[in-house]
Coordinates of all heavy atoms in Angstrom, one line a residue:
Chain A
K204 N -6.9 107.3 93.0 CA -5.4 107.4 93.2 C -5.2 107.7 94.7 O -5.8 108.6 95.2 CB -4.8 108.4 92.3 CG -4.1 107.8 91.1 CD -2.7 108.4 90.9 CE -1.9 107.5 90.1 NZ -1.9 107.7 88.7
G205 N -4.3 107.0 95.3 CA -4.1 107.3 96.7 C -2.6 106.9 97.1 O -1.8 106.6 96.2
K206 N -2.3 107.0 98.3 CA -1.0 106.6 98.7 C -1.0 105.2 99.4 O -2.0 104.9 100.1 CB -0.5 107.6 99.7 CG -0.2 109.0 99.1 CD 0.3 110.0 100.1 CE 0.5 111.3 99.4 NZ 0.7 112.4 100.4
F207 N 0.0 104.5 99.3 CA 0.1 103.2 99.9 C 1.4 103.3 100.8 O 2.5 103.5 100.4 CB 0.3 102.1 98.9 CG 0.2 100.8 99.4 CD1 -1.0 100.2 99.8 CD2 1.4 100.0 99.7 CE1 -1.0 98.9 100.3 CE2 1.3 98.8 100.2 CZ 0.1 98.2 100.5
Y208 N 1.1 103.1 102.1 CA 2.2 103.2 103.1 C 2.7 101.9 103.6 O 1.9 100.9 103.7 CB 1.6 104.0 104.3 CG 0.9 105.3 104.0 CD1 -0.4 105.3 103.8 CD2 1.7 106.5 104.0 CE1 -1.1 106.5 103.5 CE2 1.0 107.7 103.7 CZ -0.4 107.7 103.4 OH -1.0 108.8 103.2
T209 N 4.0 101.8 103.8 CA 4.5 100.7 104.4 C 5.1 101.1 105.8 O 5.9 102.1 105.9 CB 5.6 100.0 103.6 OG1 5.0 99.8 102.3 CG2 6.1 98.7 104.1
F210 N 4.7 100.4 106.8 CA 5.1 100.7 108.2 C 5.9 99.5 108.8 O 5.7 98.4 108.4 CB 3.9 101.0 109.1 CG 3.2 102.2 108.6 CD1 1.8 102.0 108.2 CD2 3.7 103.5 108.6 CE1 1.1 103.1 107.8 CE2 3.0 104.6 108.2 CZ 1.6 104.4 107.8
K211 N 6.7 99.9 109.8 CA 7.3 98.8 110.6 C 6.4 98.4 111.7 O 5.8 99.3 112.4 CB 8.6 99.4 111.3 CG 9.8 99.0 110.5 CD 11.0 99.2 111.4 CE 12.3 99.1 110.6 NZ 13.0 100.4 110.5
Y212 N 6.2 97.1 111.8 CA 5.3 96.6 112.8 C 6.0 95.5 113.5 O 6.0 94.4 113.0 CB 4.0 96.1 112.2 CG 2.9 95.7 113.1 CD1 2.0 96.6 113.7 CD2 2.7 94.4 113.5 CE1 1.0 96.2 114.5 CE2 1.7 94.0 114.4 CZ 0.8 94.9 114.9 OH -0.2 94.5 115.7
G213 N 6.8 95.9 114.5 CA 7.7 94.9 115.2 C 8.7 94.4 114.2 O 9.3 95.3 113.4
P214 N 8.9 93.2 114.0 CA 9.9 92.7 113.1 C 9.4 92.6 111.6 O 10.1 92.3 110.7 CB 10.1 91.2 113.6 CG 8.9 90.8 114.3 CD 8.3 92.1 114.9
F215 N 8.1 93.0 111.5 CA 7.5 92.9 110.1 C 7.4 94.3 109.5 O 7.5 95.3 110.1 CB 6.1 92.3 110.2 CG 6.1 91.0 111.0 CD1 5.5 90.9 112.3 CD2 6.6 89.9 110.4 CE1 5.5 89.7 113.0 CE2 6.6 88.6 111.1 CZ 6.0 88.6 112.4
E216 N 7.1 94.2 108.2 CA 6.7 95.4 107.5 C 5.3 95.2 107.0 O 5.0 94.2 106.3 CB 7.6 95.8 106.4 CG 8.9 96.3 106.9 CD 9.9 96.7 105.8 OE1 9.5 96.6 104.6 OE2 11.0 97.1 106.1
I217 N 4.4 96.1 107.2 CA 3.0 95.9 106.8 C 2.6 97.1 105.9 O 3.1 98.2 106.0 CB 2.0 95.8 107.9 CG1 2.1 97.1 108.8 CG2 2.3 94.6 108.7 CD1 0.8 97.5 109.5
G218 N 1.8 96.8 104.9 CA 1.3 97.8 104.0 C -0.1 98.2 104.3 O -0.9 97.4 104.8
T219 N -0.5 99.4 104.0 CA -1.9 99.9 104.2 C -2.1 101.1 103.4 O -1.2 101.9 103.2 CB -2.2 100.1 105.6 OG1 -3.6 100.4 105.7 CG2 -1.4 101.2 106.3
A220 N -3.4 101.2 102.9 CA -3.8 102.5 102.3 C -4.6 103.3 103.3 O -5.0 104.4 103.0 CB -4.6 102.2 101.1
R221 N -4.9 102.7 104.4 CA -5.8 103.4 105.4 C -5.1 103.3 106.8 O -5.6 102.6 107.7 CB -7.1 102.7 105.4 CG -7.8 102.7 104.1 CD -9.3 102.4 104.3 NE -9.9 103.4 105.2 CZ -11.1 103.3 105.7 NH1 -11.8 102.2 105.5 NH2 -11.5 104.2 106.6
P222 N -4.1 104.1 107.0 CA -3.5 104.1 108.3 C -4.4 104.5 109.5 O -4.2 104.0 110.6 CB -2.3 105.2 108.2 CG -2.4 105.6 106.8 CD -3.5 105.1 106.1
E223 N -5.4 105.2 109.2 CA -6.3 105.7 110.3 C -7.1 104.6 110.9 O -7.7 104.8 112.0 CB -7.3 106.8 109.7 CG -8.3 106.4 108.8 CD -7.8 106.2 107.3 OE1 -6.6 106.3 107.1 OE2 -8.7 106.0 106.5
T224 N -7.2 103.4 110.3 CA -7.9 102.4 110.9 C -7.0 101.5 111.7 O -7.5 100.5 112.3 CB -8.6 101.5 109.8 OG1 -7.5 100.8 109.1 CG2 -9.5 102.2 108.9
K225 N -5.8 101.8 111.8 CA -4.8 100.8 112.3 C -4.6 100.8 113.8 O -3.8 100.0 114.3 CB -3.5 101.0 111.6 CG -3.5 100.7 110.1 CD -3.4 99.2 109.8 CE -4.3 98.8 108.7 NZ -4.5 97.4 108.6
F226 N -5.3 101.7 114.5 CA -5.0 101.8 115.9 C -5.1 100.5 116.7 O -4.3 100.2 117.5 CB -5.9 102.8 116.6 CG -5.6 104.2 116.1 CD1 -6.3 104.8 115.1 CD2 -4.6 104.9 116.8 CE1 -6.0 106.1 114.7 CE2 -4.3 106.2 116.3 CZ -5.0 106.8 115.3
G227 N -6.2 99.8 116.4 CA -6.5 98.6 117.2 C -5.8 97.3 116.6 O -6.1 96.3 117.1
D228 N -5.0 97.5 115.6 CA -4.5 96.2 115.0 C -3.6 95.5 115.9 O -2.5 95.9 116.2 CB -3.8 96.6 113.7 CG -4.8 97.0 112.6 OD1 -5.9 97.2 113.0 OD2 -4.4 97.1 111.4
K229 N -4.0 94.3 116.3 CA -3.2 93.5 117.2 C -3.0 92.1 116.7 O -2.6 91.2 117.4 CB -3.8 93.5 118.6 CG -5.3 93.2 118.6 CD -6.0 93.2 119.9 CE -5.3 94.0 120.9 NZ -6.1 94.1 122.1
Y230 N -3.4 91.9 115.5 CA -3.2 90.6 114.9 C -2.4 90.8 113.6 O -2.7 91.7 112.8 CB -4.5 89.9 114.5 CG -5.4 89.6 115.7 CD1 -6.4 90.5 116.1 CD2 -5.1 88.6 116.6 CE1 -7.2 90.3 117.2 CE2 -5.8 88.4 117.8 CZ -6.9 89.3 118.1 OH -7.6 89.1 119.2
V231 N -1.4 90.0 113.4 CA -0.6 90.1 112.2 C -0.6 88.8 111.5 O -0.4 87.7 112.1 CB 0.9 90.6 112.6 CG1 1.5 89.8 113.7 CG2 1.8 90.6 111.4
V232 N -1.1 88.9 110.2 CA -1.4 87.7 109.5 C -0.4 87.4 108.4 O 0.0 88.3 107.7 CB -2.8 87.9 108.8 CG1 -3.4 86.5 108.3 CG2 -3.8 88.5 109.8
M233 N -0.1 86.1 108.2 CA 0.8 85.8 107.1 C 0.5 84.4 106.6 O -0.3 83.6 107.3 CB 2.3 85.8 107.6 CG 2.6 84.9 108.8 SD 3.9 85.6 109.8 CE 3.2 87.0 110.5
H234 N 1.0 84.0 105.5 CA 0.6 82.7 104.9 C 1.4 81.6 105.6 O 2.6 81.8 105.8 CB 1.0 82.8 103.4 CG 0.3 81.7 102.6 ND1 0.7 80.4 102.6 CD2 -0.8 81.7 101.8 CE1 -0.1 79.7 101.9 NE2 -1.0 80.4 101.3
P235 N 0.8 80.5 105.9 CA 1.5 79.4 106.6 C 2.7 78.9 105.8 O 3.6 78.3 106.4 CB 0.4 78.3 106.7 CG -0.8 78.7 105.9 CD -0.7 80.2 105.7
D236 N 2.6 79.0 104.5 CA 3.7 78.4 103.7 C 4.8 79.4 103.4 O 5.8 79.1 102.6 CB 3.2 77.9 102.3 CG 2.2 76.8 102.5 OD1 2.2 76.2 103.6 OD2 1.3 76.6 101.6
D237 N 4.7 80.6 103.9 CA 5.7 81.7 103.6 C 7.0 81.5 104.3 O 7.0 81.6 105.5 CB 5.1 83.1 103.9 CG 5.9 84.2 103.2 OD1 7.1 84.0 103.0 OD2 5.2 85.2 102.9
K238 N 8.0 81.1 103.5 CA 9.3 80.7 104.2 C 9.9 81.9 104.9 O 10.7 81.7 105.9 CB 10.2 80.2 103.1 CG 9.8 78.9 102.5 CD 10.9 78.2 101.8 CE 10.4 76.9 101.2 NZ 9.7 77.0 99.9
R239 N 9.7 83.1 104.5 CA 10.3 84.3 105.1 C 9.9 84.4 106.6 O 10.6 84.9 107.4 CB 9.8 85.6 104.4 CG 10.4 85.7 103.0 CD 9.7 86.9 102.3 NE 8.3 86.6 101.9 CZ 7.6 87.5 101.3 NH1 8.0 88.7 101.0 NH2 6.3 87.1 101.0
Y240 N 8.7 83.8 106.9 CA 8.2 84.0 108.3 C 8.1 82.7 109.0 O 7.3 82.5 109.9 CB 6.9 84.7 108.3 CG 7.0 86.0 107.4 CD1 6.4 86.1 106.2 CD2 7.8 87.1 107.9 CE1 6.5 87.3 105.5 CE2 7.9 88.2 107.1 CZ 7.2 88.4 105.9 OH 7.4 89.5 105.2
K241 N 9.0 81.7 108.6 CA 8.9 80.4 109.1 C 9.1 80.3 110.6 O 8.5 79.5 111.3 CB 10.0 79.6 108.4 CG 9.6 78.2 108.0 CD 10.5 77.6 107.0 CE 11.7 76.9 107.7 NZ 12.7 76.5 106.7
K242 N 9.9 81.3 111.1 CA 10.2 81.2 112.5 C 9.0 81.6 113.4 O 9.1 81.4 114.6 CB 11.4 82.0 112.9 CG 11.2 83.5 112.7 CD 12.5 84.3 112.9 CE 12.4 85.2 114.1 NZ 13.5 86.2 114.2
W243 N 8.0 82.1 112.9 CA 6.8 82.4 113.7 C 5.7 81.4 113.5 O 5.5 80.8 112.5 CB 6.2 83.8 113.2 CG 7.2 84.9 113.2 CD1 7.9 85.3 112.1 CD2 7.7 85.6 114.3 NE1 8.8 86.3 112.4 CE2 8.7 86.5 113.8 CE3 7.4 85.6 115.7 CZ2 9.3 87.4 114.6 CZ3 8.1 86.5 116.5 CH2 9.0 87.4 115.9
D244 N 5.1 81.1 114.6 CA 4.0 80.1 114.6 C 2.7 80.8 114.9 O 2.6 81.8 115.5 CB 4.2 79.0 115.7 CG 5.3 78.1 115.3 OD1 5.4 77.8 114.1 OD2 6.0 77.6 116.2
H245 N 1.6 80.1 114.4 CA 0.3 80.6 114.6 C 0.1 80.7 116.1 O 0.3 79.8 116.9 CB -0.7 79.6 114.0 CG -2.1 80.1 114.2 ND1 -2.7 81.0 113.3 CD2 -3.1 79.8 115.1 CE1 -4.0 81.2 113.7 NE2 -4.2 80.5 114.7
G246 N -0.4 81.9 116.6 CA -0.7 82.1 118.0 C 0.5 82.7 118.8 O 0.3 83.1 119.9
D247 N 1.7 82.8 118.2 CA 2.8 83.4 118.9 C 2.4 84.9 119.2 O 1.7 85.5 118.5 CB 4.0 83.5 117.9 CG 4.7 82.1 117.9 OD1 4.3 81.2 118.6 OD2 5.7 82.0 117.1
K248 N 2.9 85.3 120.3 CA 2.7 86.7 120.7 C 4.0 87.4 120.8 O 5.0 86.9 121.2 CB 1.9 86.7 122.1 CG 0.5 86.1 122.0 CD -0.2 86.3 123.2 CE -1.5 85.5 123.3 NZ -2.5 85.8 122.3
L249 N 3.9 88.7 120.5 CA 5.1 89.5 120.6 C 4.6 91.0 120.8 O 3.5 91.4 120.5 CB 6.0 89.5 119.4 CG 5.4 89.9 118.0 CD1 6.5 90.4 117.1 CD2 4.6 88.8 117.4
T250 N 5.5 91.7 121.5 CA 5.1 93.1 121.8 C 5.8 94.0 120.7 O 7.0 93.9 120.4 CB 5.6 93.5 123.1 OG1 5.1 92.6 124.1 CG2 5.2 94.9 123.5
V251 N 4.9 94.9 120.1 CA 5.5 95.8 119.1 C 5.2 97.2 119.4 O 4.2 97.5 120.1 CB 4.9 95.5 117.7 CG1 5.2 94.0 117.3 CG2 3.4 95.7 117.7
E252 N 6.0 98.1 119.0 CA 5.8 99.5 119.2 C 4.8 100.0 118.1 O 5.1 99.8 116.9 CB 7.1 100.3 119.2 CG 7.0 101.8 119.4 CD 6.3 102.1 120.7 OE1 6.4 101.4 121.7 OE2 5.7 103.2 120.8
W253 N 3.7 100.6 118.5 CA 2.8 101.0 117.5 C 2.4 102.5 117.7 O 3.0 103.2 118.4 CB 1.6 100.0 117.5 CG 0.7 100.1 116.3 CD1 -0.6 100.1 116.3 CD2 1.1 100.2 114.9 NE1 -1.1 100.2 115.0 CE2 0.0 100.2 114.1 CE3 2.4 100.2 114.2 CZ2 0.0 100.3 112.7 CZ3 2.4 100.2 112.8 CH2 1.2 100.3 112.1
I254 N 1.3 102.9 117.0 CA 1.0 104.3 117.0 C 1.0 105.0 118.4 O 1.6 106.0 118.6 CB -0.4 104.6 116.3 CG1 -0.4 103.8 115.0 CG2 -0.6 106.1 116.1 CD1 -1.8 103.8 114.3
N255 N 0.2 104.4 119.3 CA 0.1 105.0 120.6 C 0.8 104.2 121.6 O 0.2 103.9 122.7 CB -1.4 105.2 120.9 CG -2.0 106.3 120.1 OD1 -1.3 107.2 119.6 ND2 -3.3 106.2 119.8
G256 N 2.0 103.7 121.4 CA 2.7 102.9 122.3 C 2.7 101.5 122.0 O 2.2 101.0 121.0
P257 N 3.3 100.7 122.9 CA 3.5 99.3 122.7 C 2.2 98.5 122.8 O 1.3 98.8 123.6 CB 4.4 98.8 123.8 CG 4.3 99.8 124.9 CD 3.8 101.1 124.3
I258 N 2.0 97.5 121.9 CA 0.8 96.6 122.0 C 1.3 95.2 121.8 O 2.4 95.0 121.3 CB -0.3 97.0 121.0 CG1 0.2 96.8 119.6 CG2 -0.9 98.3 121.2 CD1 -0.9 96.8 118.6
E259 N 0.5 94.3 122.3 CA 0.9 92.9 122.2 C 0.1 92.4 120.9 O -1.1 92.5 120.8 CB 0.4 92.1 123.4 CG 0.9 90.6 123.2 CD 0.7 89.8 124.5 OE1 -0.5 89.6 124.8 OE2 1.7 89.5 125.2
A260 N 0.9 91.9 120.0 CA 0.4 91.4 118.8 C 0.4 89.8 118.7 O 1.2 89.2 119.4 CB 1.2 91.9 117.6
T261 N -0.6 89.3 118.0 CA -0.7 87.8 117.9 C -0.5 87.4 116.5 O -1.0 88.1 115.6 CB -2.0 87.4 118.4 OG1 -2.3 87.9 119.7 CG2 -2.1 85.8 118.4
I262 N 0.3 86.4 116.2 CA 0.5 85.9 114.9 C -0.7 85.0 114.4 O -1.1 84.1 115.2 CB 1.8 85.1 114.8 CG1 3.0 85.8 115.3 CG2 2.0 84.5 113.4 CD1 3.6 86.8 114.4
I263 N -1.2 85.3 113.3 CA -2.2 84.5 112.7 C -1.7 84.0 111.3 O -1.1 84.7 110.5 CB -3.5 85.3 112.4 CG1 -4.1 85.9 113.7 CG2 -4.6 84.4 111.7 CD1 -4.6 84.9 114.7
K264 N -1.8 82.7 111.1 CA -1.4 82.1 109.8 C -2.6 81.7 109.1 O -3.4 80.8 109.5 CB -0.4 80.9 110.1 CG 0.9 81.4 110.7 CD 2.1 81.0 109.8 CE 3.3 81.6 110.5 NZ 4.5 81.2 109.7
D265 N -2.8 82.2 107.9 CA -3.9 81.9 107.1 C -3.6 82.0 105.7 O -2.9 82.9 105.2 CB -5.1 82.8 107.5 CG -6.4 82.2 106.9 OD1 -6.7 82.5 105.8 OD2 -7.1 81.5 107.7
K266 N -4.3 81.1 104.9 CA -4.0 81.0 103.5 C -4.6 82.2 102.7 O -4.4 82.3 101.5 CB -4.5 79.7 102.9 CG -3.6 78.5 103.3 CD -4.0 77.2 102.8 CE -3.0 76.2 103.2 NZ -3.5 74.8 103.1

Side-chain angles (χ1 to χ4, degrees):
Chain A
K204 260 225 156 95
K206 290 179 185 168
F207 187 78
Y208 307 92
T209 305
F210 299 116
K211 261 199 191 111
Y212 187 84
F215 307 107
E216 285 182 4
I217 56 148
T219 183
R221 300 200 56 193
E223 70 277 10
T224 64
K225 294 279 143 196
F226 290 99
D228 287 13
K229 49 179 26 172
Y230 299 101
V231 50
V232 192
M233 59 207 69
H234 198 283
D236 300 338
D237 197 328
K238 294 199 177 80
R239 289 171 290 182
Y240 309 109
K241 227 164 79 187
K242 65 184 247 196
W243 307 98
D244 285 327
H245 183 83
D247 282 358
K248 292 187 193 297
L249 63 154
T250 303
V251 299
E252 182 59 28
W253 195 228
I254 309 171
N255 292 329
I258 60 167
E259 185 171 69
T261 306
I262 306 283
I263 301 290
K264 295 241 174 174
D265 193 276
K266 287 183 177 158

